[in-house]
Amino acid sequence: LSREFSDAILALGDNDGQVLLIEAAEELPKWLEPDTSDHRVWISGGKLQIVPSPKTSPLAKRAGLPVEPTLREGLAIVRASEVQRESGGEGAVDTTAPSNIQAAIDKRMQGLPGRAIREGSHRTRL
C-alpha cells in the first residue's frame, strides 16, 4: 500500500505486537524492543522506517527527538525524513531502516499476499 500511495505511512500490528519487529527480530538494534517501539516502527514508500531513540542515537538527541514519541510525533518524524530524502535537504533525522533489517523483512514477506492466501486457506470435502 505504501508503494502505491506515496503519502501513506503505515504501521502493522496484531495481538502479538509489532509484526515487523517479529519478522526482523534477529537484525534489530538492541534498544528496539516491544516496550520501546510504540510509534517508532512504520512503513513508508515500501520501506521500513524506524524513529531512532535519543537515548541511543546522538543524532536523534541533537535533533531533539522525544524519548517516547506520540503517534503524531512519530508520524511527523517519518514525514520529515521523507521530505528530506525527496528534496535532498538537510536537518531531519533519517528514519530509513538499515539494509540488513530491510532485507530480513523482504525475505519474510516474499510472495505475500498470495502465499498467505494459499497457506491460510482450508478446504473441506463433505
Side-chain angles (χ1 to χ4, degrees):
L1 283 173
S2 70
R3 286 185 183 130
E4 184 71 25
F5 300 99
S6 61
D7 60 340
I9 299 175
L10 311 172
L12 291 174
D14 64 12
N15 292 340
D16 293 328
Q18 293 272 353
V19 172
L20 298 173
L21 294 183
I22 295 165
E23 297 302 331
E26 298 296 317
E27 302 295 329
L28 294 174
K30 299 288 183 232
W31 65 266
L32 190 58
E33 297 179 358
D35 61 334
T36 62
S37 66
D38 286 347
H39 312 303
R40 290 193 180 283
V41 181
W42 307 91
I43 301 175
S44 178
K47 299 291 182 190
L48 183 68
Q49 308 293 317
I50 299 173
V51 175
S53 170
K55 289 183 175 181
T56 59
S57 167
L59 182 58
K61 187 173 185 173
R62 280 193 305 277
L65 296 190
V67 173
E68 295 181 14
T70 64
L71 173 64
R72 188 177 304 258
E73 289 169 332
L75 287 168
I77 293 164
V78 172
R79 178 67 68 209
S81 178
E82 287 178 335
V83 168
Q84 175 179 299
R85 268 193 311 279
E86 292 169 3
S87 69
E90 295 180 6
V93 174
D94 186 11
T95 60
T96 306
S99 59
N100 63 320
I101 297 173
Q102 189 64 51
I105 290 173
D106 289 346
K107 182 178 178 183
R108 295 283 298 163
M109 299 296 146
Q110 194 171 25
L112 294 178
R115 188 182 78 215
I117 293 169
R118 284 190 307 280
E119 293 174 3
S121 296
H122 298 279
R123 297 171 201 242
T124 303
R125 292 181 79 168
L126 298 174

